[in-house]
Amino acid sequence: MAQGLVDEFVSQVIANSDYEEVDRVYLTNRVMAIVGEDGADAPATADANDIVDLKEELADLAARNGKVGDTAAEKDTVGAQLMDFITPAPSVVNRTFWSTYEQDPAKAIADFYAMSKRNDYVKTKAIAKNIYFPVPTEYGDIEITINLSKPEKDPKAIAAAKNAKTSSYPKCQLCIENEGYQGRINHPARANHRVVRFDMDGEGWGFQYSPYAYFNEHCIFFYGKHEPMKISKETFHRLLGIVEQFPGYFAGSNADLPIVGGSILAHEHYQGGRHTFAMEKAPVETEFTFDGFEGVKAGIVKWPMSVIRLAGKNCDEMVELASKILDAWRSYSDPDAQVLAESNGEPHHTITPIARRKGDEYELDLVLRDNQTSEEFPDGIYHPHPDVQHIKKENIGLIEVMGLAILPPRLQKELAEVEKFVLGRDNDIAEYHRAWAEEIKRSHPEATEDTVTGIVQDAVGKVFSRVLEDAGVYKRTPEGKAAFMKFVQTLGTKEK
């Protein structure tokens, strides 16, 4: 005999947690307190073994019973509450992580990631909706994602958020106070959210996963205090410390200036994960050593953005050199190359750093950033230019810098119309795609129903390659390469 929806969910809670069969009545009552009693005994339509789908059905039931509003954000608060039943308390999570870490750091990380997926904090089913494809370019295989995992806000949710009472708790979505937070219409539900605490140079930090991951094991390392992001000597030291403490993960930081920075500049944090990006695979094409730092291998990477790669076994020496490069770049101007350190007291230069560990050697990529604007390029001189903004208009942050495009969901439908246009079929193509689509059609008269998707995807990849070239301070021309070396030589180098 089939169990009712609540019973099925409770059975899965018992199977996936430390609760036991004797807890069934208690759990049933607690679940009904959240979702309501009407319909609780109705048969589940979801797979009885899939706790995430059962949770979604219960959230819908809660909305029907008036326990919560029917917007996605409101139902998410119920969903997170329900998944909290299978999520250990923060003290247990931390005790288990560090106990396992003492014996096997990789297993401790893997277990925490598995828990974060199992309790639906990492939205694996939503992430699976994303469109992904690699595209070969002269810089290697760059990766394209069209982000469909985050549900678009409906008009009701937008209106409700505008009318919602303002709150400064938590101060932002990265603060430690998010752990266990119920959520509200204008702040995500975090009842099932857990953070591993760790110490870095005597200061408290948190390690968590990203709910809507853009790559494998996409995680975040954040400072325990709500303080603004800042790229400094300490940044390089911390990033190298993280890749030592969390084996197999890279760690990187968004830049700390508007236009070239990330979406959250108000809270010091880094991103990491277990993924090999195209930039990591890109070779060093011009090798040199810096005077006084002969133990550090250095060079310019063959990449559309302007990257200096450092590699060596001595972290302290690498940190000193990276700090020297940062200080020099912050104050460096070369008007002939359209490079300006500041204007009207506003600083323009910073660095996007990425750290990795390769065996007993460390690697640090320093991506030079410049956030100047001009009359011709009001969005940013080193920002996607207007002719490619039909594909990518948003800031080029850490993930894009490394060669993974995060493109807006609008493109799913828009590219389907571009495909129709290329095939000469009736279409509703967006006007801002027309010139690009006409070029694709001219270049590929052989396009068929079977090949057109690949042709358009390849064209998207080529546009993203151009986006990265726009964001590169020094262009990959003889003049650009010479100007890049001119900056490098101010630091004292010997070319190999």
Side-chain angles (χ1 to χ4, degrees):
M1 182 177 175
Q3 290 179 293
L5 175 57
V6 170
D7 280 344
E8 295 280 18
F9 181 77
V10 168
S11 293
Q12 284 302 311
V13 169
I14 293 169
N16 287 279
S17 70
D18 291 334
Y19 285 110
E20 300 175 19
E21 188 59 36
V22 71
D23 300 312
R24 181 175 289 275
V25 172
Y26 163 79
L27 287 169
T28 298
N29 285 327
R30 297 322 306 149
V31 171
M32 287 195 300
I34 294 170
V35 304
E37 297 177 33
D38 290 348
D41 56 354
T45 59
D47 181 346
N49 294 313
D50 194 323
I51 192 169
V52 175
D53 283 350
L54 291 170
K55 174 262 295 183
E56 297 290 347
E57 277 199 45
L58 285 170
D60 290 338
L61 178 63
R64 290 197 299 274
N65 285 336
K67 287 286 189 175
V68 70
D70 63 356
T71 65
E74 290 167 296
K75 286 192 282 188
D76 277 350
T77 64
V78 169
Q81 268 186 288
L82 292 169
M83 298 310 282
D84 191 38
F85 284 116
I86 66 165
T87 309
S91 57
V92 175
V93 169
N94 278 267
R95 187 163 55 249
T96 302
F97 181 92
W98 289 113
S99 174
T100 305
Y101 186 95
E102 285 181 12
Q103 306 300 320
D104 189 343
K107 186 178 188 311
I109 294 167
D111 288 351
F112 181 49
Y113 182 56
M115 186 209 78
S116 299
K117 289 190 295 182
R118 188 168 56 249
N119 77 348
D120 200 43
Y121 182 73
V122 175
K123 308 285 186 183
T124 52
K125 291 195 172 185
I127 293 163
K129 297 175 185 176
N130 290 343
I131 296 170
Y132 169 89
F133 52 93
V135 177
T137 72
E138 64 178 296
Y139 309 111
D141 288 353
I142 61 173
E143 300 169 282
I144 308 296
T145 60
I146 297 176
N147 180 23
L148 304 175
S149 59
K150 287 186 182 179
E152 294 188 55
K153 289 183 179 178
D154 61 44
K156 285 187 291 185
I158 294 170
K162 285 181 180 176
N163 295 325
K165 183 180 177 181
T166 58
S167 172
S168 59
Y169 182 89
K171 290 187 175 72
C172 78
Q173 292 186 25
L174 289 178
C175 286
I176 192 68
E177 288 80 10
N178 283 276
E179 188 175 47
Y181 187 66
Q182 177 71 6
R184 55 182 191 268
I185 195 71
N186 55 0
H187 194 98
R190 292 289 183 259
N192 58 335
H193 174 41
R194 298 295 184 267
V195 176
V196 168
R197 274 74 163 174
F198 69 103
D199 179 90
M200 200 148 50
D201 299 323
E203 295 182 305
W205 282 72
F207 162 51
Q208 67 179 65
Y209 286 98
S210 176
Y212 295 99
Y214 294 129
F215 50 84
N216 188 38
E217 298 184 43
H218 183 180
C219 62
I220 299 168
F221 306 95
F222 65 94
Y223 189 35
K225 299 175 184 175
H226 181 74
E227 293 184 2
M229 279 182 60
K230 183 182 178 184
I231 302 296
S232 66
K233 180 179 180 179
E234 190 72 359
T235 305
F236 308 130
H237 172 71
R238 287 169 175 166
L239 292 176
L240 290 169
I242 286 170
V243 298
E244 182 173 15
Q245 192 167 3
F246 294 86
Y249 280 11
F250 79 90
S253 176
N254 270 305
D256 56 353
L257 291 178
I259 297 177
V260 298
S263 56
I264 301 179
L265 298 181
H267 196 123
E268 181 75 276
H269 72 287
Y270 312 125
Q271 296 182 71
R274 194 182 305 278
H275 187 73
T276 304
F277 294 86
M279 190 175 82
E280 179 180 346
K281 300 175 189 175
V284 170
E285 61 180 358
T286 305
E287 295 183 17
F288 44 79
T289 55
F290 288 93
D291 295 341
F293 297 92
E294 284 74 15
V296 179
K297 292 178 283 186
I300 293 173
V301 179
K302 184 185 177 184
W303 192 245
M305 298 186 70
S306 305
V307 186
I308 297 172
R309 178 169 294 163
L310 309 180
K313 296 180 180 180
N314 187 322
C315 285
D316 291 340
E317 193 175 11
M318 289 177 66
V319 168
E320 288 296 330
L321 178 52
S323 181
K324 182 178 179 180
I325 293 169
L326 173 64
D327 290 344
W329 179 241
R330 285 201 193 278
S331 61
Y332 182 78
S333 292
D334 182 358
D336 292 338
Q338 208 168 24
V339 169
L340 201 60
E342 62 89 26
S343 59
N344 302 317
E346 178 194 347
H348 293 311
H349 286 176
T350 188
I351 279 175
T352 298
I354 302 103
R356 313 175 193 96
R357 189 174 183 181
K358 304 282 187 74
D360 62 350
E361 201 169 68
Y362 296 85
E363 200 168 79
L364 197 56
D365 281 353
L366 307 175
V367 188
L368 307 184
R369 310 301 301 272
D370 183 319
N371 78 343
Q372 289 181 76
T373 59
S374 68
E375 196 170 317
E376 183 182 5
F377 300 114
D379 294 326
I381 296 171
Y382 304 107
H383 181 81
H385 288 179
D387 65 317
V388 293
Q389 288 185 3
H390 65 104
I391 296 294
K392 177 70 174 177
K393 185 175 183 179
E394 298 79 12
N395 291 6
I396 303 305
L398 170 67
I399 297 169
E400 285 98 350
V401 163
M402 295 185 290
L404 172 59
I406 302 165
L407 302 181
R410 63 176 171 84
L411 287 173
Q412 181 185 29
K413 293 179 180 178
E414 291 178 8
L415 294 180
E417 298 303 317
V418 170
E419 290 181 18
K420 293 177 189 175
F421 180 92
V422 172
L423 292 173
R425 290 167 45 194
D426 288 344
N427 62 82
D428 189 22
I429 191 171
E431 194 57 37
Y432 48 72
H433 287 311
R434 186 172 295 277
W436 176 63
E438 286 172 347
E439 178 56 34
I440 298 172
K441 188 174 183 178
R442 275 195 302 272
S443 303
H444 295 279
E446 80 290 356
T448 66
E449 195 80 40
D450 293 333
T451 63
V452 69
T453 297
I455 288 168
V456 171
Q457 287 182 346
D458 185 68
V460 170
K462 297 299 189 291
V463 170
F464 181 63
S465 181
R466 239 297 307 285
V467 163
L468 294 180
E469 289 172 347
D470 286 351
V473 177
Y474 294 110
K475 307 310 177 188
R476 292 185 52 75
T477 60
E479 297 80 11
K481 290 179 179 180
F484 197 168
M485 281 305 299
K486 181 181 174 183
F487 164 66
V488 168
Q489 286 161 356
T490 65
L491 292 154
T493 58
K494 302 183 192 72
E495 194 166 345
K496 291 185 177 180

